[in-house]
Amino acid sequence: MTMTGTDQDLYPSRLTEPRPPLKREHPAVWGDASGPFTRDELDAHEARGYTVIDDFLGAGEVTDYTAELLRLSDAPELATDERVIRERSTGAVRSVFAVHHLSEKLDRLTRDPRLLDRARQLLGSDVYLHQTRINYMPGFRGTGFYWHSDFETWHAEDGMPIPRAVSCSLALTDNYPFNGGLMVMPGSHKTFVSSVGETPEDNHASSLQAQEVGVPSEEDISQLAEQYGIDQFTGAAGSALWFDSNIMHGSGNNITPFPRSNIFMVFNSVENELVHPYAAPASRPEHIAHRENVAPLR
Amino acid sequence: MTMTGTDQDLYPSRLTEPRPPLKREHPAVWGDASGPFTRDELDAHEARGYTVIDDFLGAGEVTDYTAELLRLSDAPELATDERVIRERSTGAVRSVFAVHHLSEKLDRLTRDPRLLDRARQLLGSDVYLHQTRINYMPGFRGTGFYWHSDFETWHAEDGMPIPRAVSCSLALTDNYPFNGGLMVMPGSHKTFVSSVGETPEDNHASSLQAQEVGVPSEEDISQLAEQYGIDQFTGAAGSALWFDSNIMHGSGNNITPFPRSNIFMVFNSVENELVHPYAAPASRPEHIAHRENVAPLR
């Protein structure tokens, strides 16, 4: 069964002219209520586009994965690795990509039934990893990310046909309302917001530090915020945030002394394999958008 | 009665070497419980260093003062006035100083008994205006202010002898946890944090856009956050925040579509008149730190 027409661009973006937001036709939840999520949880996820699960990781796990994060951030052999993204101003590590290739522990985590069963249920199929990374936002001078839909980028720059992917962010630090935590617009995943402007070659080299293309207009952001409001993800360390690939989200900066770090993994349906990018001259590198191994994750 | 020894610097700052934070000996509340604040409210203010009063302004007042703010921001005759402070990057108006000289409505507001009686009660004496301004933080790209104590600056750069001053911020827009609202460390007003570094001449010309001198160390901020925690001011439009001159506070940036504006006024005790700056070559201009009119406000 193939749900996706790869020859047709159902979510056009990077346009020459502004276009009003589109109603998204595809669901967020593709599976049935056979568990682990209950019917009510699935319905809430379909409506809001995200689900928070407290105490998803135990305290020991948080400690272990934090040690992994520190090890990878400081690893001399990764100092100039393209998978390590640094703050533009300070050079501090901001993200490390493809962490399931760099850490056995994190590889095992991506295949943990707590994650895998939920990803499969939400997407209604086998899944594979589209992207994994760890994110680190330091205290005092952490910089956020402006509003965006991940799917807009994955579609335009990676060739992901439809929004049949889900992200899971596992908090390794406490998320307060004031230390640069994720803001989401609940329900906004039902609206596809296109952006204006052609994607330059090698856009990813700068866009992972600060997005400049694929940015929604202020008018569209205002309209979405008016319609859907803004929620903040404020779970304690160990909590999990599952969120739809097309939800509008962003984060402010962080001047508090409390840093913020998380493990981030994106599950894509095996029925939604990447094709040629819909609005970019070439695919992004393998460590940002996996194409080589799309076998069902086990 | 003079409470203040102007010949002695009780709060040394802008030092050549870091020095541990000092215990502040002066109270935050100088008056008695004769009203409008009750004994409990005064005790809470003394302990926390701030007090929030919801619905302090009526809806009609919020509308009126917002119109005043817009009028002053757009006034052609103020386009190059030194009292108008602009965002470094965009040129948008960030603050207008000495608004009680520029607006009859705002002048009347500073003398409104709702404000004046509370200021007198907190400071236990007649009061005058040390500073007034309106602040405007735009949506999408509003930039915040890093952690600081106002009194540290007013003492070092304006010659305010002791922390016997109180600020009142009147919200003209709703303050959410996510649109760059004020963060305060409750109780931190009891600790004086000195800063390291000599004050350059004309520091105010840049410091009102982005503070570079008089900044507490990350070590001191961490210690205070650990000891006192962080509260956010999240009142609706019309709410009032009274806060002690020495409370540690700051604000993050604002990527939401919701701008944030307020009227800000600083009442100083007439027994705490400015002297020569304690740690700067010269006084700041009159519109930032009033010296000419220190008659009791009526």
Side-chain angles (χ1 to χ4, degrees), chain A:
Chain A
M1 179 183 77
T2 296
M3 300 297 296
T4 61
T6 58
D7 46 351
Q8 202 194 343
D9 183 356
L10 298 171
Y11 297 97
S13 194
R14 316 294 166 104
L15 308 172
T16 48
E17 298 282 330
R19 185 189 282 209
L22 289 176
K23 190 173 172 330
R24 164 200 177 149
E25 300 296 345
H26 296 102
V29 175
W30 296 68
D32 60 31
S34 53
F37 284 119
T38 64
R39 178 79 265 154
D40 283 355
E41 287 170 336
L42 292 180
D43 289 348
H45 190 86
E46 179 67 44
R48 285 192 314 239
Y50 77 92
T51 299
V52 175
I53 305 176
D54 289 327
D55 303 316
F56 192 84
L57 297 179
E61 290 179 295
V62 169
T63 306
D64 283 357
Y65 296 129
T66 300
E68 268 312 82
L69 179 157
L70 294 174
R71 185 180 70 76
L72 294 173
S73 297
D74 293 344
E77 70 274 17
L78 295 175
T80 60
D81 196 291
E82 63 176 354
R83 291 170 289 193
V84 177
I85 310 297
R86 294 171 189 280
E87 296 270 349
R88 205 174 261 180
S89 53
T90 63
V93 171
R94 179 177 177 132
S95 300
V96 180
F97 278 75
V99 284
H100 63 299
H101 292 162
L102 296 169
S103 158
E104 214 176 290
K105 273 191 184 164
L106 292 170
D107 177 50
R108 269 201 306 275
L109 179 62
T110 64
R111 293 179 282 109
D112 186 306
R114 290 173 294 175
L115 287 155
L116 205 43
D117 290 348
R118 285 183 168 84
R120 284 195 192 112
Q121 191 187 8
L122 290 173
L123 302 182
S125 69
D126 273 325
V127 300
Y128 73 96
L129 291 169
H130 172 64
Q131 187 185 92
T132 68
R133 60 181 203 258
I134 50 178
N135 294 311
Y136 180 78
M137 178 192 268
F140 302 111
R141 53 179 62 77
T143 51
F145 263 110
Y146 195 67
W147 298 104
H148 64 287
S149 147
D150 289 330
F151 174 68
E152 193 277 341
T153 299
W154 299 340
H155 181 71
E157 300 191 27
D158 296 336
M160 182 182 284
I162 62 167
R164 192 174 173 183
V166 66
S167 300
C168 181
S169 174
L170 299 171
L172 296 180
T173 50
D174 292 342
N175 287 288
Y176 303 99
F178 45 68
N179 67 335
L182 210 64
M183 298 183 278
V184 300
M185 298 190 190
S188 63
H189 64 299
K190 303 273 191 185
T191 299
F192 180 76
V193 178
S194 60
S195 71
V196 169
E198 211 177 314
T199 315
E201 245 178 274
D202 282 335
N203 180 45
H204 65 274
S206 62
S207 72
L208 301 175
Q209 293 176 317
Q211 188 93 347
E212 276 155 23
V213 182
V215 176
S217 70
E218 293 185 2
E219 194 189 331
D220 287 343
I221 295 171
S222 295
Q223 192 191 310
L224 260 65
E226 178 71 31
Q227 185 175 354
Y228 298 116
I230 295 175
D231 284 354
Q232 280 185 294
F233 173 42
T234 53
S239 58
L241 169 67
W242 290 87
F243 62 107
D244 185 85
S245 60
N246 189 48
I247 201 165
M248 189 61 69
H249 64 290
S251 56
N253 66 352
N254 179 19
I255 69 164
T256 78
F258 309 119
R260 208 169 58 78
S261 56
N262 59 65
I263 304 167
F264 180 79
M265 51 198 97
V266 183
F267 301 95
N268 190 24
S269 167
V270 295
E271 295 170 12
N272 194 34
E273 263 184 51
L274 305 189
V275 297
H276 189 274
Y278 289 86
S283 307
R284 298 196 296 176
E286 174 67 20
H287 67 278
I288 298 175
H290 296 297
R291 292 171 181 271
E292 284 171 12
N293 184 0
V294 297
L297 201 60
R298 305 278 180 213

Side-chain angles (χ1 to χ4, degrees), chain B residues 98-170:
Chain B
V99 285
H100 63 299
H101 292 163
L102 296 169
S103 158
E104 216 176 289
K105 274 193 184 166
L106 292 170
D107 177 50
R108 268 201 306 276
L109 178 63
T110 65
R111 293 178 283 107
D112 186 307
R114 290 173 293 175
L115 286 155
L116 205 43
D117 290 348
R118 285 184 168 84
R120 284 195 192 113
Q121 191 187 8
L122 290 173
L123 303 182
S125 69
D126 273 326
V127 299
Y128 74 96
L129 290 168
H130 171 63
Q131 186 185 92
T132 68
R133 59 180 203 258
I134 50 177
N135 293 312
Y136 180 78
M137 178 192 267
F140 303 111
R141 54 180 60 79
T143 52
F145 262 110
Y146 195 67
W147 297 103
H148 64 286
S149 146
D150 289 332
F151 173 69
E152 193 276 343
T153 300
W154 299 341
H155 181 71
E157 300 191 25
D158 297 337
M160 182 181 285
I162 64 166
R164 191 174 173 181
V166 67
S167 300
C168 182
S169 174
L170 300 171

Side-chain angles (χ1 to χ4, degrees), chain B residues 114-240:
Chain B
R114 290 173 293 175
L115 286 155
L116 205 43
D117 290 348
R118 285 184 168 84
R120 284 195 192 113
Q121 191 187 8
L122 290 173
L123 303 182
S125 69
D126 273 326
V127 299
Y128 74 96
L129 290 168
H130 171 63
Q131 186 185 92
T132 68
R133 59 180 203 258
I134 50 177
N135 293 312
Y136 180 78
M137 178 192 267
F140 303 111
R141 54 180 60 79
T143 52
F145 262 110
Y146 195 67
W147 297 103
H148 64 286
S149 146
D150 289 332
F151 173 69
E152 193 276 343
T153 300
W154 299 341
H155 181 71
E157 300 191 25
D158 297 337
M160 182 181 285
I162 64 166
R164 191 174 173 181
V166 67
S167 300
C168 182
S169 174
L170 300 171
L172 296 180
T173 49
D174 292 342
N175 287 289
Y176 303 101
F178 45 68
N179 67 336
L182 209 63
M183 297 183 279
V184 302
M185 297 191 190
S188 64
H189 63 299
K190 302 275 192 184
T191 299
F192 180 76
V193 178
S194 59
S195 71
V196 169
E198 212 176 312
T199 316
E201 246 178 274
D202 283 335
N203 181 45
H204 65 274
S206 61
S207 72
L208 301 175
Q209 294 176 317
Q211 186 93 346
E212 274 154 23
V213 182
V215 175
S217 70
E218 293 185 2
E219 194 189 331
D220 287 343
I221 295 171
S222 295
Q223 193 191 310
L224 260 64
E226 179 72 29
Q227 185 175 354
Y228 298 116
I230 295 175
D231 284 353
Q232 279 184 294
F233 174 41
T234 52
S239 58

Side-chain angles (χ1 to χ4, degrees), chain B residues 31-112:
Chain B
D32 60 29
S34 54
F37 285 119
T38 65
R39 180 78 266 155
D40 284 354
E41 287 170 336
L42 292 180
D43 290 348
H45 189 88
E46 179 66 43
R48 283 192 314 238
Y50 77 91
T51 299
V52 176
I53 304 176
D54 290 327
D55 304 314
F56 191 83
L57 297 179
E61 290 180 294
V62 170
T63 306
D64 283 357
Y65 296 130
T66 300
E68 266 317 78
L69 178 157
L70 294 173
R71 186 181 69 77
L72 294 173
S73 298
D74 293 343
E77 71 275 18
L78 295 176
T80 60
D81 195 292
E82 61 176 356
R83 290 171 289 192
V84 178
I85 311 297
R86 294 172 189 278
E87 296 270 348
R88 202 173 263 179
S89 52
T90 63
V93 171
R94 179 178 176 130
S95 301
V96 180
F97 277 76
V99 285
H100 63 299
H101 292 163
L102 296 169
S103 158
E104 216 176 289
K105 274 193 184 166
L106 292 170
D107 177 50
R108 268 201 306 276
L109 178 63
T110 65
R111 293 178 283 107
D112 186 307

